[in-house]
Amino acid sequence: MSINSWPALDGMAYGGDYNPEQWSREVWDEDVALMREAGVNLVSVGIFSWAMLEPKEGLYDFSWMDELLDLLHANGIAVDLGTPSVSPPAWFFHAYPESRVITKDGTVMGFGSRGMASHASTEYREAIARMATELARHYADHPAVVMWHVHNEYGVPVGEDFGPRSVANWRLWLQGRYSTLEALNEAWGTAFWGQRYGDWEHVVAPAATPTIANPAMKLDWARFTDDQLRECFRIERDAIRQHSDKPVTTNFMAHQSWNTDLWKWAQEVDVVSDDHYLWAPDPDGHVGLALSADLTRSVGGNDPWILMEHSSSAVNWQGRNVAKRPGEERRNALTHVGRGADGILFFQWRASRSGAEKFHSAMLPHAGKDSRVFREVVQLGQHLKDIAEVRGSRVVADVAVLYDWESLWAHDLEWRPSDDMQFRERMRAYYERLWRDDVTVDFAHPEADLSGYRLVVAPSSYLLTAAAGENLCAYVAGGGTLLVGAFSGIVDEHDAVHAGGFGAPLKDALGLTVEEFLPLREGETCDVVFDGAAMTADAWAEDIALAGAEVRGTFAGGPGDALPAITRHQHGQGAGWYVGARLTHETLAPVFAQVYADAGIVPAGGPEGLETITRHGADHDFVIAVNHREDAVSLSITGTELLSGAQIDGTLDLKGGDAAVVRIARAQQGGGA
Ligand code: GLA
């Protein structure tokens, strides 16, 4: 069967999660009328509907959903049909109590919330296969259904399970990975602390332990958990495949995902989709949003993707749920579009009156249609119609940022040299520098083909396999520019320190290894002198053993006083830069300026906070410009501004907080993978 790779829709997808089982039938009619007013053409239904679709085991009731799908279809609204496996009903847990998730400390997770049953439960796996089969059989040919939405946000609120069946699967998984106990003992370094295993039955899960558990074991546990979740996804996807050729997705969480290695997950879905919510404590949450969008596009091989969920205003699950201010949601949505999204959906269509998420914003808020939020929702729907021709166009980047979930898992284990060196924090600092310079990036796996990029940035590659090290050294030798952040190239895939000194896999590319880490105390700072100017750094210093690299910056004060902090190394046709300090996006600026020059990258040079991204279409290019500043800015550009229809001859003036989409003449495409 040939599978469709995009839902059959005209133009951009627009809509949200629709949970009408909360409402009486009359409300459904009002909903579809207002959806039409807002330009909604796609809604996700059924994600939490298991209890309504199978009220008793084996008794399926699709009548209400039949009526709903018919109503939506009659109103021109397509359906992304969910499978409800994320929230098994009360009867399921009553009948199969051993299917409940057991946490690390032995707590059995009860019913009354939401969240997946144990991924290892045979009864759960059988039940989700049956449900997916019944749904697919019933709705495969329904004209409203254009896509399947399996499960919801794999890995949250729970991904790991420490119950006996999961541990039994874990042993089988380890046998598959290592074949022999000798190989497992070797990989995990069990000679230390007397952990040697003499029998597979003795191998346990890294549950509660007196002090930290073996880190190699925990890293494998993360891989195992990810694999098990993906197995559950495949069960449902393959059941659907028996009956339908419509595309299957599941909603990722990009930079916010912990349990899922999205490089692997993206291989399993037909359409990549992602959920993103602003993190209220971060006043520059739009930078994290851009990171998340670029990461989502990248895991999907730069194909267009769908923003499956975001919020029209505040969420309700953070400590202080900051509402979006007028125009903010529009900027957020257009940034997602700029970074490759061909669909913009929300959680959820109508605000709930009851239950856990009643204070979460919605497309149709509690205030009703006569509200700022709904007016902006209607405006956005119009915008997406106005820019329909952007659909299918591509983002092309000259810069790749290395991102590896395995390195994240390993890095964030306990007992590292400094708690201050965190994967996500480092990723954000380097990304933010690029964002503020308005340089568009892809993300890439460290073992990927990087030859199409002028610059590769590795903010935090603690775990780097020997193969990845060779890949990066070959990339530099071939003429690439590589910029590596501190605490990179430290361990292999078993969290074992590489032989030859810290950073040994990158020695050829960087012309150095690191002899000793010199972390700073909490609150302590030192200076890094670069290009004659002193910049403040914190958290980290180190004693670099030079092996050919040229010193470009030096620590001043602190434990690394007078030692090299920033280096450049010519290797073959290219250059390897290294930053052995913790710099912020501000203090990274002068370093990046020189790295760009090496790589032949010329940043757009606009005012900081003006975000521009180009999507390349078959006949035209499209520049998405988002002004995050409070003051007005000007952009040199000629073309048609699609949101207003205005012709721009040379200069586009964008008010503070405004955004624009300009169709321009087709430019020559740059490099990029
Ligand atoms: C997640 C879930 C949704 C909803 C939103 C609220 O993304 O998938 O069901 O709970 O969070 O922000």
Side-chain angles (χ1 to χ4, degrees):
M1 173 185 329
S2 104
I3 309 303
N4 292 312
S5 60
W6 195 257
L9 289 170
D10 292 331
M12 298 270 183
Y14 187 51
D17 280 23
Y18 184 36
N19 300 303
E21 54 267 53
Q22 303 172 84
W23 304 97
S24 63
R25 182 62 182 76
E26 308 81 70
V27 176
W28 298 10
D29 291 324
E30 185 186 289
D31 281 336
V32 291
L34 290 174
M35 284 178 190
R36 289 173 65 130
E37 190 175 330
V40 165
N41 63 0
L42 182 67
V43 290
S44 305
V45 302
I47 299 170
F48 296 98
S49 303
W50 193 335
M52 304 271 295
L53 293 171
E54 191 183 1
K56 283 187 183 167
E57 185 165 15
L59 179 75
Y60 296 93
D61 175 11
F62 294 147
S63 55
W64 66 274
M65 193 174 266
D66 291 345
E67 191 176 352
L68 175 69
L69 264 53
D70 292 348
L71 176 70
L72 289 164
H73 182 61
N75 284 276
I77 299 159
V79 169
D80 166 38
L81 189 55
T83 65
S85 52
V86 73
S87 205
W91 62 253
F92 177 82
F93 290 105
H94 186 262
Y96 307 108
E98 63 287 2
S99 292
R100 292 173 295 175
V101 168
I102 298 182
T103 65
K104 188 185 174 122
D105 59 5
T107 305
V108 182
M109 297 286 207
F111 184 72
S113 173
R114 69 168 168 184
M116 182 165 157
S118 164
H119 52 61
S121 159
T122 318
E123 293 79 9
Y124 173 71
R125 288 181 173 215
E126 286 170 1
I128 61 173
R130 276 197 306 273
M131 174 57 83
T133 302
E134 291 299 327
L135 278 171
R137 208 182 348 238
H138 197 81
Y139 291 113
D141 299 320
H142 195 289
V145 176
V146 294
M147 185 162 65
W148 298 94
H149 180 304
V150 169
H151 201 80
N152 191 61
E153 295 186 336
Y154 276 96
V156 294
V158 286
E160 296 175 307
D161 176 41
F162 292 83
R165 288 200 278 193
S166 176
V167 174
N169 284 357
W170 162 237
R171 290 191 190 113
L172 290 173
W173 186 89
L174 288 169
Q175 285 167 7
R177 182 170 172 82
Y178 293 109
S179 300
T180 66
L181 265 184
E182 288 67 41
L184 178 142
N185 280 313
E186 178 66 24
W188 287 6
T190 56
F192 191 67
W193 276 5
Q195 292 172 351
R196 199 159 185 82
Y197 295 101
D199 190 316
W200 284 105
E201 285 303 306
H202 299 170
V203 178
V204 292
T209 43
T211 179
I212 71 164
N214 183 310
M217 176 198 213
K218 289 185 83 169
L219 177 56
D220 269 343
W221 177 260
R223 292 184 178 113
F224 159 76
T225 299
D226 180 39
D227 270 5
Q228 295 292 293
L229 295 174
R230 227 169 16 258
E231 261 185 36
C232 287
F233 169 77
R234 278 194 290 262
I235 288 171
E236 295 195 59
R237 182 201 60 196
D238 295 349
I240 292 168
R241 279 277 170 278
Q242 299 297 313
H243 303 278
S244 172
D245 59 359
K246 291 171 183 167
V248 178
T249 192
T250 184
N251 43 345
F252 298 162
M253 289 164 291
H255 194 44
Q256 288 157 338
S257 86
W258 169 263
N259 287 313
T260 48
D261 179 344
L262 297 183
W263 294 116
K264 292 184 176 159
W265 279 84
Q267 304 299 314
E268 305 280 353
V269 297
D270 303 312
V271 175
V272 164
S273 66
D274 192 59
D275 297 350
H276 181 269
Y277 291 96
L278 294 177
W279 179 233
D282 178 3
D284 293 322
H286 51 271
V287 180
L289 180 156
L291 190 168
S292 176
D294 283 337
L295 184 56
T296 303
R297 182 188 73 251
S298 300
V299 297
N302 277 324
D303 288 343
W305 54 280
I306 292 177
L307 178 68
M308 188 58 84
E309 290 180 25
H310 75 316
S311 64
S312 62
S313 188
V315 299
N316 70 319
W317 42 266
Q318 299 180 10
R320 291 159 193 84
N321 296 292
V322 175
K324 292 188 182 179
R325 300 320 299 139
E328 186 174 359
E329 163 42 34
R330 178 174 181 265
R331 290 195 296 281
N332 291 169
L334 290 172
T335 299
H336 283 295
V337 170
R339 296 180 188 279
D342 276 358
I344 298 291
L345 279 71
F346 293 85
F347 178 84
Q348 59 179 332
W349 162 253
R350 181 187 279 270
S352 301
R353 285 191 57 214
S354 306
E357 301 193 87
K358 54 184 167 290
F359 296 122
H360 197 290
S361 61
M363 298 175 82
L364 183 62
H366 290 293
K369 65 169 286 194
D370 189 13
S371 59
R372 177 191 68 82
V373 165
F374 190 69
R375 282 189 286 277
E376 290 199 20
V377 161
V378 172
Q379 181 196 46
L380 182 59
Q382 186 58 48
H383 282 347
L384 294 177
K385 283 186 186 150
D386 293 339
I387 63 169
E389 63 188 286
V390 172
R391 181 177 142 179
S393 58
R394 302 291 168 135
V395 176
V396 179
D398 287 333
V399 180
V401 176
L402 300 186
Y403 198 108
D404 180 7
W405 274 271
E406 297 210 351
S407 191
L408 160 63
W409 295 334
H411 189 158
D412 287 2
L413 293 173
E414 307 96 329
W415 289 10
R416 274 37 189 140
S418 171
D419 286 349
D420 295 327
M421 294 294 275
Q422 292 287 325
F423 176 91
R424 287 197 169 109
E425 186 278 332
R426 288 291 76 200
M427 193 59 68
R428 169 64 183 266
Y430 278 78
Y431 180 86
E432 185 154 354
R433 183 66 262 146
L434 289 149
W435 186 92
R436 289 189 181 278
D437 292 333
D438 212 12
V439 173
T440 301
V441 306
D442 288 340
F443 285 90
H445 188 275
E447 293 183 22
D449 175 9
L450 302 167
S451 57
Y453 296 104
R454 290 173 180 273
L455 171 63
V456 172
V457 181
S460 182
S461 291
Y462 163 74
L463 184 159
L464 201 68
T465 60
E470 281 166 27
N471 188 39
L472 293 169
C473 291
Y475 165 75
V476 177
T481 302
L482 174 68
L483 170 62
V484 177
F487 204 44
S488 289
I490 309 299
V491 299
D492 67 10
E493 59 271 39
H494 304 301
D495 197 47
V497 173
H498 283 291
F502 297 130
L506 297 173
K507 184 173 180 180
D508 289 349
L510 301 180
L512 57 79
T513 54
V514 176
E515 188 174 319
E516 191 178 11
F517 306 134
L518 305 172
L520 275 60
R521 293 191 170 81
E522 194 175 2
E524 192 184 354
T525 60
C526 65
D527 280 350
V528 170
V529 181
F530 181 76
D531 238 2
M535 323 183 276
T536 304
D538 68 354
W540 191 259
E542 56 187 30
D543 189 351
I544 290 173
L546 294 170
E550 177 195 342
V551 178
R552 290 295 191 90
T554 309
F555 287 109
D561 188 34
L563 296 177
I566 300 172
T567 61
R568 179 189 183 280
H569 182 58
Q570 187 71 36
H571 175 56
Q573 307 297 307
W577 284 80
Y578 181 66
V579 176
R582 189 170 84 153
L583 299 181
T584 62
H585 69 81
E586 285 105 346
T587 48
L588 279 168
V591 182
F592 267 82
Q594 295 199 11
V595 171
Y596 293 146
D598 252 356
I601 287 171
V602 183
E608 198 171 286
L610 169 63
E611 180 178 14
T612 63
I613 321 110
T614 303
R615 289 187 60 165
H616 302 272
D619 303 315
H620 295 99
D621 286 350
F622 304 93
V623 174
I624 293 85
V626 183
N627 183 8
H628 297 277
R629 298 164 63 94
E630 288 182 5
D631 57 345
V633 294
S634 299
L635 179 68
S636 297
I637 199 163
T638 294
T640 306
E641 204 285 301
L642 298 175
L643 305 180
S644 62
Q647 187 60 35
I648 312 295
D649 293 316
T651 305
L652 171 71
D653 294 315
L654 264 188
K655 291 196 294 267
D658 205 355
V661 180
V662 187
R663 184 210 295 131
I664 60 171
R666 181 98 166 71
Q668 204 61 37
Q669 280 197 16

